[in-house]
Amino acid sequence: MSEYLDNNHVDTFGIFLVEKSQMCPGLYLPFLFVSSFHWGYKAFNADTKKFVSHINKESVSATNLILVPIIENSHWTLVVGNLKTKVWDFYDSLPKKTHRAILPEVISHLYEDTTTSFATDI
């Protein structure tokens, strides 16, 4: 196993969170999980829409949060979009301006791939 969390590790945590929320309805706020591969594939100009195909008008209207993990240069952060309050929170264990600087680009890329799913610009 490698020394750091990679996309597969982060996605596994996301899958477990989704499964637990299905086993225990009402325990968590409704959320959508975006694979960390979504941002990772953008670096290679590869097809990223397959990682957000579950995001549509119905899923957006039924959720409160969008969880977007980002792995950049072996460091991972988490972006959480609250669709009800229209606020984005950024979680970083090693806060640096360089980590935060990527945030607008990540959100814009997510919106580009899911634009028809939202009633307003996220």
Side-chain angles (χ1 to χ4, degrees):
M1 196 164 150
S2 65
E3 303 167 359
Y4 62 93
L5 291 175
D6 67 10
N7 290 315
N8 291 315
H9 295 107
V10 172
D11 276 3
T12 300
F13 288 120
I15 291 166
F16 287 144
L17 186 59
V18 169
E19 287 183 4
K20 186 168 183 179
S21 71
Q22 291 171 347
M23 291 185 330
C24 306
L27 183 61
Y28 302 104
L29 287 174
F31 66 91
L32 293 170
F33 178 78
V34 178
S35 169
S36 55
F37 284 102
H38 183 257
W39 179 249
Y41 270 48
K42 180 170 182 352
F44 299 106
N45 293 319
D47 178 23
T48 56
K49 289 187 180 190
K50 58 188 163 193
F51 298 110
V52 292
S53 61
H54 63 293
I55 299 178
N56 54 46
K57 287 183 180 185
E58 294 79 26
S59 65
V60 167
S61 67
T63 195
N64 290 9
L65 304 173
I66 300 178
L67 307 176
V68 186
I70 305 162
I71 297 180
E72 184 80 14
N73 299 323
S74 302
H75 178 68
W76 77 275
T77 56
L78 179 65
V79 179
V80 179
N82 187 320
L83 296 176
K84 304 305 178 198
T85 62
K86 298 181 180 175
V87 172
W88 289 92
D89 290 308
F90 183 69
Y91 297 94
D92 186 354
S93 61
L94 301 169
K96 291 183 179 179
K97 287 183 181 180
T98 55
H99 297 164
R100 192 179 215 36
I102 200 169
L103 186 56
E105 192 175 347
V106 169
I107 294 170
S108 288
H109 179 63
L110 176 63
Y111 184 67
E112 287 170 14
D113 280 356
T114 60
T115 191
T116 60
S117 303
F118 297 93
T120 60
D121 185 351
I122 59 171

